[in-house]
Every structure is written in C-alpha cells, then in structure tokens.
C-alpha cells in the first residue's frame, strides 16, 4: 500500500524559506510514471495546488506561486521536496504531498495523500 | 487562474439526493473533461471521489456521481448518509499542465 509522509519544520519566520520533504513508501517514485504533487490548505480555507513533479524532474507550478516555488525529486531516497521562499503569514497552511490516480498526466486527480503537516509562518 | 465557484453550503436529509455545482470558465471546466471531486472530513486529507468528470477510482461508492454541462460540473450524492457530512471540493484542469480547485462546499446532513 502506497504511503506518503510529509516532514519538515512546523514554524517558519516571515521572509525565510519553507522546506518540506515527502517520503514515499510502498512504491518507487522512479520509474513509475506519475506527477507527484504538493497541495496546501490554509486553516479553515480551501485547497490550493502548489505544483507537481515527474520522476525525471519535470516540474509544473501554480502560476500564482511560481516565482517562489521549487519542487525537486531525489529518486535514490524515494523523496520529493518543496521549497517556498520569502514566506508571509498567508503561507500558513497544512501542506500535503500526494500522488495522482492517472499516470503521466497533470490532471489534479490525487488519489494517495499524506496526512499533511501544519506550517505556521510567524516570528 | 481563478478558483472555481462552489456554493458555500448545501444540506439534505438522510436518504435524499443532493447536488453540488462547480462553475468555471471556458478556459477550464468548459473546455476540458478533466474534473475531479474530493471529500474532506475535518482534520483529514481529501479523498478522491470522481475523476475525469464521471469516473470512480477503486473503492468509491456509486452513490457519488459526476456530470458536466457547459462551464459547470456537478457532483450528485444519492441516498444521503450521515457519514457524507463533510467538505467537498471540485478541481478542473486549466490547460498548460495546471489545474485549479473550487472554494469548497460544506454538506450538512440534517
């Protein structure tokens, strides 16, 4: 059974960089043909797609976050990671990593999800 | 990209059917038959209910069904049960390998 687990600091200071890692178990990131994604949810609000990465390193980002986001993959560790720079209070959210139902496509149909990690931006 | 528009809340009694709408534009819902629906209980990760407008992933009850007309997609839940009380989100492909979520709808089972 595929499992995803987010890890990283729960508290980040304004203007600093948020860094999270998603560890995948039960399947290999490479060479399965999926676009692994990051999604976030501010407290009490809706879902927002951050970006997705293919095992080969191809990335696609939400245009509204693109200037601050980098998603990378480490197939040797079966992990993929998120970096969000210059964070502000509005970046406070539960951050989820997820894998889609459909391979080889960025369709937003995420079937497997991590439990989520709350990241608070505060000094 | 703008968030898809969903009603803030809907309600229904056990056994009834309800429909949640998701309105987008000709740049997303209206052009692509790539709409997903999610259910989210408090404190839990979202659960995929429907993908590609009408398809069920494994393990999902056929009480949940999806449809689309023009720029609006819909999720219908039939035979409403107490455990269906949750937040529901739609998501549409928006071209150029991006997609956008709806604002979410809170379903109350009376």
């Amino acid at each position: 059974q595929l499992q995803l687990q987010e890890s990283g600091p729960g508290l980040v200071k304004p203007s600093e960089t948020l860094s999270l890692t998603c560890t995948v178990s039960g399947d290999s990131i490479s060479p399965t043909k999926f676009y692994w994604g990051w999604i976030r949810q501010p407290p009490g609000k809706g879902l927002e797609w951050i970006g997705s990465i293919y095992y080969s390193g191809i990335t696609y980002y939400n245009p509204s976050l693109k200037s601050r986001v980098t998603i990378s993959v480490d197939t040797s560790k079966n992990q993929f990671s998120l970096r969000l720079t210059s964070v502000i209070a509005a970046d406070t959210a539960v951050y989820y990593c997820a894998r889609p139902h459909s391979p080889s496509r960025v369709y937003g149909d995420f079937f497997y999800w991590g439990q989520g990690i709350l990241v608070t931006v505060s000094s | 990209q703008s968030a898809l528009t969903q009603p803030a809340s809907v309600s229904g009694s056990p056994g009834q059917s309800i429909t949640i709408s998701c309105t987008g534009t000709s740049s997303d819902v209206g052009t692509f038959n790539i709409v997903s629906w999610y259910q989210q209980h408090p404190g839990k990760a979202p659960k995929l209910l429907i993908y590609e407008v009408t398809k069920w992933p494994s393990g999902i009850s056929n009480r949940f069904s999806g449809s689309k007309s023009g720029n609006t997609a819909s999720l219908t839940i039939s035979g409403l049960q107490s455990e269906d009380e949750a937040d529901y989100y739609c998501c549409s492909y928006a071209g150029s390998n991006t997609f956008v979520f709806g604002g979410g709808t809170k379903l109350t089972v009376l």
Side-chain angles (χ1 to χ4, degrees):
Chain A
Q1 175 73 1
L2 183 70
Q3 292 187 316
L4 298 93
Q5 179 69 58
E6 305 88 351
S7 59
L11 180 64
V12 181
K13 290 181 168 57
S15 80
E16 294 190 345
T17 297
L18 179 159
S19 295
L20 297 174
T21 296
C22 181
T23 300
V24 179
S25 59
D27 195 8
S28 174
I29 286 181
S30 171
T32 55
K33 294 175 171 52
F34 291 97
Y35 281 90
W36 304 81
W38 286 99
I39 302 99
R40 70 179 184 179
Q41 185 172 36
K45 297 188 178 181
L47 301 168
E48 181 179 35
W49 173 65
I50 299 171
S52 297
I53 187 164
Y54 202 50
Y55 78 95
S56 63
I58 296 172
T59 53
Y60 297 106
Y61 299 126
N62 185 326
S64 68
L65 296 170
K66 187 174 183 178
S67 64
R68 298 194 292 133
V69 173
T70 302
I71 297 176
S72 58
V73 64
D74 187 337
T75 55
S76 66
K77 295 182 178 179
N78 223 34
Q79 296 175 334
F80 60 104
S81 299
L82 168 70
R83 292 181 73 249
L84 180 66
T85 61
S86 305
V87 296
I88 60 175
D91 293 314
T92 293
V94 174
Y95 286 76
Y96 294 100
C97 59
R99 197 208 84 177
H101 178 274
S102 305
S104 303
R105 295 178 290 190
V106 185
Y107 277 4
D109 56 345
F110 291 104
F111 187 64
Y112 294 99
W113 292 70
Q115 65 184 23
I117 182 170
L118 174 63
V119 180
T120 301
V121 178
S122 175
S123 56
Chain B
Q1 286 184 337
S2 298
L4 307 175
T5 300
Q6 299 181 231
S9 63
V10 298
S11 63
S13 298
Q16 288 185 331
S17 294
I18 63 95
T19 296
I20 299 172
S21 62
C22 169
T23 301
T25 69
S26 57
S27 297
D28 38 61
V29 176
T31 294
F32 304 102
N33 289 323
I34 308 172
V35 176
S36 303
W37 287 92
Y38 294 88
Q39 176 192 63
Q40 187 180 34
H41 288 106
K44 301 293 186 181
K47 179 181 181 180
L48 181 67
L49 298 176
I50 297 286
Y51 70 101
E52 293 180 26
V53 180
T54 61
K55 299 179 181 179
W56 295 283
S58 62
I60 299 302
S61 169
N62 59 9
R63 294 191 302 108
F64 299 93
S65 61
S67 62
K68 193 189 88 165
S69 178
N71 293 341
T72 299
S74 298
L75 173 72
T76 298
I77 308 174
S78 59
L80 208 57
Q81 300 176 1
S82 59
E83 56 262 38
D84 297 333
E85 185 161 295
D87 293 326
Y88 291 83
Y89 294 91
C90 61
C91 178
S92 175
Y93 185 68
S96 301
N97 291 299
T98 67
F99 47 90
V100 60
F101 283 96
T105 298
K106 182 178 179 60
L107 168 62
T108 300
V109 179
L110 302 171

